[in-house]
Amino acid sequence: MINERVEKAINEQINWELYSGYFYLSMSTYFETIGLPGCANWMRVQAKEEQFHAMKFFDYIIERGGKVTLKAIDAPPSVWESPLDVFEKTYEHEQKVTSLINDLVDLALTEKDHASYNMLQWFVDEQVEEEATASDIVGKLKLIGNGTSALFMLDQEFSKKVFTPPVKE
Ligand code: FEO
C-alpha cells in the first residue's frame, strides 16, 4: 500500500504534469499562428510527453493500491512575445517541475517509502534531460537573434520531432 502523504503529493504532481501538457499545447497554438509549424510540432510532442508523465504517476498509484484523484487543470497563458520568450518560459517551467520532483523525492525519503523513491529516480533523470533540451534551444535562439533563415532551419529540424514512449518505463 502506498504511503498516504506520498499518494497525496503524487496526485498533485499528476495535476502538474497535465497542466504542463496544457501549457505546451498553448505554446503550440502560438507557433501555428506565427507560421512556425515545426516549433508547433515540437510543442505538440512535448505535450504528449507530459501526458505520458502524468500517466506514469497515475499507473503507479494504482499499482500500489492507492487512489487517483483528478482535479481541475488551470488555464495556461495564451500570449507569448516571441519564440525565444516561449522557450525561456519552457526552461523556467521545467526548472519548476524539477524542484517539485525533488520535493517528492525528499518526501519519499522522509516517509521511508522506498518503492516511491525508486520510481521517482526515472523522473529525476528525465528532468535532467528536459532542462538540458530547453536550455539548449534557448541558447540557439539567442544566437539566431533576428536571423529569419536560421529560424526557419530550426523550424524544419523541429518538424521531425516525434513522440516515442520510452522502452523501459
Ligand atoms: Fe513532466 Fe516536462 O516535466
Side-chain angles (χ1 to χ4, degrees):
M1 192 70 185
I2 191 167
N3 173 283
E4 214 172 288
R5 287 185 66 206
V6 173
E7 178 192 80
K8 187 168 181 287
I10 292 179
N11 267 304
E12 279 162 21
Q13 190 63 29
I14 288 174
N15 189 269
W16 260 97
E17 300 292 344
L18 292 172
Y19 173 76
S20 301
Y22 224 31
F23 187 66
Y24 294 131
L25 262 188
S26 177
M27 291 171 164
S28 178
T29 63
Y30 164 75
F31 282 123
E32 294 287 2
T33 61
I34 62 165
L36 291 173
C39 291
N41 173 65
W42 195 99
M43 285 298 170
R44 197 180 276 236
V45 171
Q46 189 67 19
K48 283 187 189 158
E49 285 182 12
E50 299 304 344
Q51 173 84 13
F52 178 85
H53 295 168
M55 291 312 295
K56 194 170 171 66
F57 281 124
F58 186 106
D59 290 339
Y60 176 74
I61 291 182
I62 292 170
E63 190 182 2
R64 299 291 313 282
K67 184 177 184 304
V68 173
T69 309
L70 296 174
K71 294 182 185 160
I73 304 166
D74 288 342
S78 58
V79 178
W80 315 95
E81 286 171 23
S82 63
L84 177 60
D85 177 44
V86 172
F87 279 99
E88 281 179 334
K89 298 271 164 49
T90 298
Y91 184 38
E92 279 169 26
H93 184 78
E94 289 304 333
Q95 287 175 294
K96 170 70 185 169
V97 174
T98 298
S99 77
L100 294 170
I101 296 291
N102 287 342
D103 289 347
L104 274 172
V105 172
D106 288 345
L107 180 65
L109 278 177
T110 307
E111 295 294 316
K112 297 188 181 353
D113 182 347
H114 294 244
S116 295
Y117 175 85
N118 276 347
M119 178 276 294
L120 285 163
Q121 297 314 301
W122 186 90
F123 285 94
V124 170
D125 292 343
E126 178 72 359
Q127 283 312 119
V128 171
E129 197 184 312
E130 294 268 78
E131 279 194 35
T133 304
S135 166
D136 180 58
I137 297 170
V138 166
K140 280 184 181 157
L141 285 170
K142 281 184 176 165
L143 278 176
I144 286 172
N146 293 325
T148 315
S149 53
L151 183 58
F152 280 120
M153 276 172 68
L154 191 68
D155 191 64
Q156 279 284 313
E157 185 188 322
F158 285 176
S159 67
K160 297 184 192 117
K161 182 171 159 110
V162 289
F163 174 62
T164 318
V167 179
K168 187 175 181 300
E169 292 175 17

